[in-house]
Amino acid sequence: MREKLEQIKKKAMEAMEALHDLDQLEEFRVKTLGKKGELTLVLRGMGSLPPQERPVIGQLANEIRTALEKALGKKTVELKEAALEKRLEEETIDVTIPGKQPDLGKLHPLTKMLNELEEIFLGMGFDIAEGPEIEWDSYNFEALNIPQNHPARDVQDTFYINDNILLRTHTSPVQIRTMLKQKPPIKIICPGRVYRSDAVDATHSPIFHQIEGLVVDKNITMGDLKGVLDVFAKQVFGQETKTKFRPHHFPFTEPSAEVDVSCAICRGEGCRVCSHTGWIEILGAGMVHPKVLEYCGIDPKVYSGFAFGMGLDRITNLKYGIDDIRLLFENDIRFLKQF
Ligand code: DAH
């Protein structure tokens, strides 16, 4: 029995040496020292020993158990340390590896331009007003002195929803909405989306954007209009920019003008962008027609006002050198990333 015990010890010590992970070690512990382990089984057989040998063998068995337990403990610590070492090695961070570049979104050029224009007009004391894209026929046309038979009402240009309701063709109805609910002084711009049944090409889109301006107060003159538009043009296109008013006709203003800015690309010399004229048309404007003021319950003998309307898409394209309006609506990420 003594021999058998010594042999178990020797075999166990050797076997333990060969183990390399903690799971195996646990399995080994159960097999050797557990309730059904080899050592236990041997000890169970002690009953068959002569009584005087029992204590001696018992003591030896306990010594072997203690030795094995101690060795197991040591081995456990060793394996745990090795496992930790390995994990740390695997998890080391190489701080010299280049970082991942997160793909940041960008503002759409129209949004950037609109933000810039809003800043300019807010700086001049304007408020921002908004109105619905689905509009009454009467606000889009009638109130703006565009009578029933005016060519602008042609179904060719206007998306009608029914006889009285349409997709607004310009931001001018926001003038009406503002004047109907607010008494002068009024000083607003109204940016927004507008719709016209136009065929798509490099300069036309059935959806585009306008910014309307409206100032109504006592003693407002065309000089105020010129001053505001001059400041605006210089801030957008550069301090050397000049503005030019050309007589024009709009039903809702009298007198009316189309406003050109000197071409920022050739500085008035003439180039492809300005069709070799040195000037670029950017907006329509004028003094608010007395009939429009009257419609909104504002006395034209007491108050006067000016209004203007510009195409945001056109100004954006001029500013960023974009030569096709369709690019603004296609949302091609390769295009949008450039701004
Ligand atoms: N509503 C006009 C258009 O869409 C633009 C415009 C011209 C607006 C002159 C105005 C204005 O307020 O005074 O063509």
Side-chain angles (χ1 to χ4, degrees), residues 253-273:
T253 44
E254 181 57 37
S256 304
E258 270 189 339
V259 179
D260 297 348
V261 291
S262 54
C263 180
I265 312 245
C266 62
R267 294 172 185 264
E269 300 267 303
C271 69
R272 205 175 58 86
V273 174

Side-chain angles (χ1 to χ4, degrees), residues 164-177:
N164 303 316
I165 300 173
L166 43 73
L167 296 182
R168 67 179 179 192
T169 59
H170 51 182
T171 43
S172 302
V174 189
Q175 287 187 27
I176 304 302
R177 287 179 173 273

Side-chain angles (χ1 to χ4, degrees), residues 169-172 175 196 208 210-213 250 252-253 256-257 283-287 306-310:
T169 59
H170 51 182
T171 43
S172 302
Q175 287 187 27
R196 281 184 208 179
F208 57 105
Q210 288 188 337
I211 301 177
E212 191 80 11
F250 295 107
F252 33 86
T253 44
S256 304
L283 56 86
M287 300 307 291
F306 67 74
F308 56 87
M310 62 181 91

Side-chain angles (χ1 to χ4, degrees), residues 12 18 41 53 60 79 81 95 105 193 197 216 237 267 321 330:
L41 289 181
E53 277 196 35
L60 177 65
L79 287 182
E81 272 172 5
V95 290
R193 199 175 281 156
S197 170
V216 182
F237 297 108
R267 294 172 185 264
E330 280 165 358

